[in-house]
Amino acid sequence: MLGPQAGSILVVGGTHGNEPNAPWLLKQWQYQPDDLQHSNFVLQLVHGNPEALADCRRYIERDLNRSFAAALLAEADQCSLEVRRARELLQAHGPEGVSPALVALDLHTTTAAMGNSLVVYGRRPADLALAAGIQQRLGLPVYLHEADQAQQGFLVECWPCGLVIEVGPVPQGLLHAGICRMSQLALEAALAVLDLAAAGSLRLPPALVVHRHLGSVDLPRHADGTPAALLHPRLQGGDWSPLRPADPVFLAAAGHAIPLAAVLPSRLRGEPCFWPVFINEAAYGEKGIAFSLTRRERWPLDEQALVALQGVAQALQRRQVSP
Amino acid sequence: MLGPQAGSILVVGGTHGNEPNAPWLLKQWQYQPDDLQHSNFVLQLVHGNPEALADCRRYIERDLNRSFAAALLAEADQCSLEVRRARELLQAHGPEGVSPALVALDLHTTTAAMGNSLVVYGRRPADLALAAGIQQRLGLPVYLHEADQAQQGFLVECWPCGLVIEVGPVPQGLLHAGICRMSQLALEAALAVLDLAAAGSLRLPPALVVHRHLGSVDLPRHADGTPAALLHPRLQGGDWSPLRPADPVFLAAAGHAIPLAAVLPSRLRGEPCFWPVFINEAAYGEKGIAFSLTRRERWPLDEQALVALQGVAQALQRRQVSP
């Protein structure tokens, strides 16, 4: 018997309530399931934060996509709307939930010019294999987020395999046909990779190109916290492109440019080149992030990654065949 | 004696709390007044809706820039935050206020690709002359908003002369150097025009090119109110460019294009060409506006417009010389 009781793939849209494109897609696919290219797996199409979506705000009390840390979920007196929602999503769709899902694909948008891209958290082999399979099909750049104490508790980390599809630039709260199209293309590629992995016929490329998180840089600020400079126009839209220490990154109110070298965290001095991401993402002002710095690396893929992804995909298939 | 007690020019930023670029500029000019090119007039730099700005929302209870209708302001039991704020702004800075201003320049941004542009409400001769003076200097397109029963009560209408400087595209809640630069250029041009008008040396062009509001078009919607189609990618970013009835304007979820002719209000059938504005402005979803349609017209400027603007500018000067 196939059904949501079987192991399935969780597709989440609207984890942030001011990103309405994925929720719009989910709704269309509920009306017209054939509009999404077929997968052999059962999909659970779920709105991440319906309250925030109704209010067109990123979140009501705290960022839902920073609310999945185990310690936070376990805190008895933590009862913000988003932590309750995180628990609810896990109870309903978690790997041990009522309708268990084994893979989570979380659809996001950004005001940064990220294009169609993937975000992977940490180095779980199945995630890397899935990202490599998508990269092989569509050439999408991958932001590997790790070792960032200030940003923790991402949704997809609570499922055995999962990643974020991140598409931009698009303003918050705005429906945009091109953004919807890119989100759907990346999702369909992910489903196709999982299908092949389940069938044992997935072939991965020899390496995955990742942009590994090194750190983030905030705007210069006055003593009262208000920005004393703006992102430099030459950096705006430059996501995924090389950025060197001498390059301008901020424009002071008085009109002079501030180079990257002047604001680089000390532990990153000596790096000759960075690849910035999430440049001028509107929601990150409150997190003190004007842009993040990465290093572009080519990671050979070993058999282990493929085996890990096949394991997830075949477990998914087994559960669907004999629940 | 010069001072805010004299008649002055009101410069408002952050009338909408999720448009932070103008508030950022106002703050910089308060720190460094010389960063704004000099005017002979006293400027009052005022944040429109500080509560909404702190919350990064367009408004708290209702749109402040639809809260200046005389009937609404007079309603005794109307006590929403924004109507109270409108009354407060008029008491403090209105033409008969404590620190009277005679001209209001209201700085806005939009997610639509409006570029650097002006919005004028109705056909007050002084407004048209001011717009013409700015258009002559910078070539900015002018949206003439009138005869729209659904949208009323704009801030600048409560001052003897005033207009909106509207710059985009920029996401809500995002600081953007290019947007700040354009806003400042347009404001400086307005101040220069007023200076010349006060000195009696303003020369206006023979005509003003306006884009006169004809009507607005909403997205097609399902019975529950959710959008059944998206703005067509070919229309996205096409503000101020000709749009004909056969041109596609929406993309249905099923994938087919919907032409303008299919959604045109009946009273506008027969018009061969339109010039759309505010295409896919994020804040207008709730107002049921996917884009507005205008007709491009060339309006000869008569002496009356120049005289009206000179009247305002000279009254401003007189009050500053002898309060």
Side-chain angles (χ1 to χ4, degrees), chain A residues 62 66 69 143 145-154 157 213-216 267 287 289:
Chain A
R62 53 171 291 135
R66 304 295 184 279
Y143 174 34
H145 191 94
E146 64 175 7
D148 182 356
Q149 292 311 313
Q151 305 295 329
Q152 302 274 330
F154 295 93
E157 296 181 283
H213 178 85
L214 296 179
S216 296
R267 64 187 168 76
K287 299 183 197 294
I289 300 175

Side-chain angles (χ1 to χ4, degrees), chain B residues 22 39 43 71 113 115 117 133 150 154-155 220 274 290:
Chain B
S39 160
L43 303 183
S117 67
F154 296 93
L155 181 146
F274 301 90

Side-chain angles (χ1 to χ4, degrees), chain A residues 24 27-28 31 35 55 57 111 171-177 180 219 222 224 226-231 233 236 251 253-254 280-282, chain B residues 24 27-28 31 35 55 57 111 171-177 180 219 222 224 226-231 233 236 251 253-254 280-282:
Chain A
W24 186 82
K27 202 144 200 169
Q28 303 317 309
Y31 283 115
D35 284 356
D55 214 19
R57 306 177 72 169
T111 67
Q172 297 171 343
L174 190 72
L175 287 175
H176 189 293
C180 286
L219 288 174
H222 294 295
D224 68 357
T226 59
L230 300 172
L231 191 87
Q236 181 75 46
L251 185 67
N280 225 2
E281 157 55 44
Chain B
W24 186 82
K27 202 145 201 168
Q28 303 316 309
Y31 282 115
D35 285 356
D55 213 19
R57 306 176 73 170
T111 67
Q172 296 171 344
L174 190 74
L175 287 175
H176 189 291
C180 286
L219 289 173
H222 293 295
D224 68 356
T226 60
L230 300 172
L231 191 87
Q236 182 75 44
L251 185 66
N280 225 2
E281 157 56 44

Side-chain angles (χ1 to χ4, degrees), chain A residues 51-274:
Chain A
E51 285 83 355
L53 185 67
D55 214 19
C56 196
R57 306 177 72 169
R58 185 173 172 93
Y59 55 81
I60 303 296
E61 294 186 77
R62 53 171 291 135
D63 191 331
L64 176 59
N65 204 27
R66 304 295 184 279
S67 297
F68 283 83
L72 192 68
L73 293 168
E75 255 180 57
D77 59 351
Q78 174 51 258
C79 58
S80 66
L81 182 141
E82 275 79 12
V83 172
R84 284 186 284 123
R85 180 63 180 150
R87 291 179 187 133
E88 199 175 276
L89 286 168
L90 284 165
Q91 280 155 15
H93 311 284
E96 308 302 327
V98 177
S99 307
L102 301 181
V103 177
L105 301 170
D106 193 12
L107 309 184
H108 285 255
T109 61
T110 170
T111 67
M114 296 283 274
N116 199 353
S117 67
L118 305 176
V119 185
V120 172
Y121 301 93
R123 304 181 180 208
R124 298 189 302 189
D127 296 351
L128 298 180
L130 179 58
I134 302 171
Q135 188 171 75
Q136 189 176 30
R137 275 159 186 72
L138 300 180
L140 305 195
V142 174
Y143 174 34
L144 188 110
H145 191 94
E146 64 175 7
D148 182 356
Q149 292 311 313
Q151 305 295 329
Q152 302 274 330
F154 295 93
L155 181 148
V156 299
E157 296 181 283
C158 283
W159 278 261
C161 173
L163 48 74
V164 157
I165 294 170
E166 185 75 68
V167 187
V170 66
Q172 297 171 343
L174 190 72
L175 287 175
H176 189 293
I179 296 293
C180 286
R181 185 75 197 125
M182 286 195 275
S183 305
Q184 177 159 355
L185 276 173
L187 175 61
E188 287 174 344
L191 298 177
V193 170
L194 287 163
D195 272 356
L196 288 174
S201 51
L202 180 65
R203 298 289 166 269
L204 289 181
L208 170 67
V209 177
V210 300
H211 294 76
R212 182 163 67 81
H213 178 85
L214 296 179
S216 296
V217 177
D218 191 17
L219 288 174
R221 292 182 186 272
H222 294 295
D224 68 357
T226 59
L230 300 172
L231 191 87
H232 197 282
R234 276 173 54 189
L235 185 53
Q236 181 75 46
D239 305 76
W240 311 110
S241 296
L243 180 71
R244 297 184 170 79
D247 292 336
V249 293
F250 298 123
L251 185 67
H256 60 274
I258 300 171
L260 177 61
V263 293
L264 206 52
S266 56
R267 64 187 168 76
L268 296 181
R269 288 181 198 147
E271 287 275 334
C273 188
F274 301 90

Side-chain angles (χ1 to χ4, degrees), chain B residues 152-175:
Chain B
Q152 301 275 329
F154 296 93
L155 181 146
V156 299
E157 296 181 283
C158 283
W159 278 260
C161 172
L163 47 73
V164 158
I165 294 169
E166 185 75 67
V167 188
V170 67
Q172 296 171 344
L174 190 74
L175 287 175

Side-chain angles (χ1 to χ4, degrees), chain B residues 144-214:
Chain B
L144 187 111
H145 191 95
E146 64 173 9
D148 183 355
Q149 292 311 313
Q151 305 295 328
Q152 301 275 329
F154 296 93
L155 181 146
V156 299
E157 296 181 283
C158 283
W159 278 260
C161 172
L163 47 73
V164 158
I165 294 169
E166 185 75 67
V167 188
V170 67
Q172 296 171 344
L174 190 74
L175 287 175
H176 189 291
I179 296 293
C180 286
R181 185 76 197 122
M182 285 195 275
S183 305
Q184 178 159 356
L185 276 174
L187 175 60
E188 287 175 344
L191 298 176
V193 170
L194 287 163
D195 272 356
L196 289 174
S201 52
L202 180 65
R203 299 288 167 268
L204 289 181
L208 170 67
V209 177
V210 301
H211 295 75
R212 181 164 67 80
H213 178 84
L214 296 179

